[in-house]
């Protein structure tokens, strides 16, 4: 056998063309990033964990007054702007008349107030491992004394970054800032930095309300499925 050559038994084991292609295929399949599907997989895992822990949601608040319907669910959807292909919607759109008050879902700290062309005027609140974002609000973001704050003058609301906000407190009003064609709240949730389906959280919250609270309509019925556009029968363009 020549120096540096591979013994025949090892050649047969590792260098057979079919075996080599099979192993190469497995390696590529394992390494290939599944970018489009990742948010959905993470959301399902976190959703299942959060829903099964038995946490009490009775202290939480429904995030919108004057609820009208769910106009765009969490997950993959056809673009409401009419472009081809699918997009991943990282929140739940809740329709309400423009100017309706938005309530903080869970007590926590305001970690960000922002304005951009997609989410519009928004507030992000941190509650332990949870983060909740509220988009398309009326008002704007300003700075003073080295800090930033959200202000809705006509609604009488000022919210500072770093401020503690109680569950159920009014933090803004439904508007049409950012990328939207109709008044609604885009409500996004993250748990441990992974996106969660807000509709599943609302279902768990609704189920824990006393029957008399459900019957008098103080809590809207949770949405039925990820493919439903709600009782409005229309979509709202969202970021």
């Amino acid at each position: 056998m020549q120096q540096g050559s591979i013994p025949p038994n090892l050649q047969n084991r590792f260098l057979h063309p079919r075996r080599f292609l099979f192993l190469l295929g497995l390696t590529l399949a394992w390494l290939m990033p599944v970018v489009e599907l990742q948010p959905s997989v993470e959301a399902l895992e976190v959703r299942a964990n959060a829903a099964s822990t038995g946490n009490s949601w009775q202290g939480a608040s429904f995030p919108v007054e004057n609820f009208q319907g769910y106009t765009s669910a969490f997950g993959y959807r056809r673009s409401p702007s009419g472009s081809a292909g699918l997009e991943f919607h990282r929140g739940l759109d809740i329709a309400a008349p423009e100017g309706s008050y938005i309530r903080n879902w869970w007590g926590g700290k305001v970690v960000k107030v922002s304005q951009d062309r997609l989410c519009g005027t928004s507030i992000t609140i941190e509650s332990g491992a949870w983060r909740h974002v509220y988009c398309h609000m009326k008002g704007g973001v300003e700075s003073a004394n080295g800090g930033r704050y959200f202000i809705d003058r006509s609604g009488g609301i000022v919210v500072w970054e770093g401020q503690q906000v109680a569950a159920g407190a009014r933090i803004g009003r439904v508007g049409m800032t950012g990328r939207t064609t109709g008044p609604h709240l885009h409500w996004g949730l993250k748990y441990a930095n992974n996106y969660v389906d807000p509709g599943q959280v609302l279902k768990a919250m609704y189920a824990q309300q006393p029957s008399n609270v459900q019957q008098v309509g103080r809590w809207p019925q949770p949405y039925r499925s990820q493919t439903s556009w709600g009782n409005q029968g229309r979509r709202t363009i969202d970021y």
Side-chain angles (χ1 to χ4, degrees):
M1 182 172 60
Q2 297 180 354
Q3 185 177 6
S5 63
I6 300 176
N9 62 328
L10 294 183
Q11 290 180 354
N12 292 337
R13 181 175 299 178
F14 295 107
L15 299 182
H16 191 283
R18 290 182 180 177
R19 289 177 178 169
F20 176 79
L21 291 175
F22 176 75
L23 292 172
L24 178 62
L26 288 178
T27 302
L28 291 176
W30 176 260
L31 295 177
M32 186 178 296
V34 191
V35 176
E36 290 295 325
L37 296 179
Q38 186 176 0
S40 179
V41 172
E42 289 179 347
L44 290 173
E45 290 175 351
V46 175
R47 181 191 70 188
N49 178 63
S52 63
T53 55
N55 289 337
S56 173
W57 299 109
Q58 293 186 21
S61 172
F62 191 81
V64 179
E65 296 182 15
N66 304 317
F67 168 83
Q68 290 183 321
Y70 304 106
T71 53
S72 190
F74 174 91
Y76 285 98
R77 65 178 183 182
R78 285 187 290 273
S79 173
S81 62
S83 59
L86 297 176
E87 63 182 25
F88 195 87
H89 186 226
R90 292 176 171 85
L92 177 66
D93 289 353
I94 307 174
E98 189 169 2
S100 299
Y101 280 97
I102 296 168
R103 291 184 178 271
N104 181 32
W105 165 66
W106 198 265
K109 179 182 178 181
V110 178
V111 293
K112 184 178 181 182
V113 295
S114 180
Q115 282 181 297
D116 61 50
R117 66 181 183 86
L118 298 178
C119 192
T121 303
S122 67
I123 291 178
T124 302
I125 297 175
E126 186 174 81
S127 306
W130 291 91
R131 280 203 173 199
H132 28 124
V133 61
Y134 306 79
C135 297
H136 311 307
M137 301 166 66
K138 281 183 170 291
V141 174
E142 300 181 9
S143 300
N145 302 321
R148 286 164 51 86
Y149 60 95
F150 159 78
I151 184 166
D152 175 5
R153 287 183 171 84
S154 58
I157 295 178
V158 177
V159 178
W160 286 81
E161 285 185 346
Q163 176 181 336
Q164 293 290 329
V165 184
R170 287 177 168 177
I171 58 173
R173 292 188 300 158
V174 172
M176 289 186 60
T177 57
R179 180 179 174 232
T180 176
T181 58
H184 72 283
L185 168 68
H186 170 98
W187 185 45
L189 283 180
K190 277 187 172 184
Y191 181 81
N193 206 36
N194 294 314
Y195 283 103
V196 177
D197 183 350
Q200 299 300 325
V201 173
L202 290 180
K203 286 181 181 179
M205 290 166 58
Y206 182 84
Q208 291 187 15
Q209 300 306 310
S211 58
N212 63 322
V213 173
Q214 297 176 0
Q215 290 168 4
V216 298
R218 287 170 55 191
W219 270 77
Q221 287 280 349
Y223 82 148
R224 297 300 180 184
S225 70
Q226 291 187 345
T227 57
S228 169
W229 294 108
N231 57 24
Q232 291 275 291
R234 60 180 175 84
R235 303 181 190 182
T236 49
I237 294 178
D238 199 275
Y239 83 106

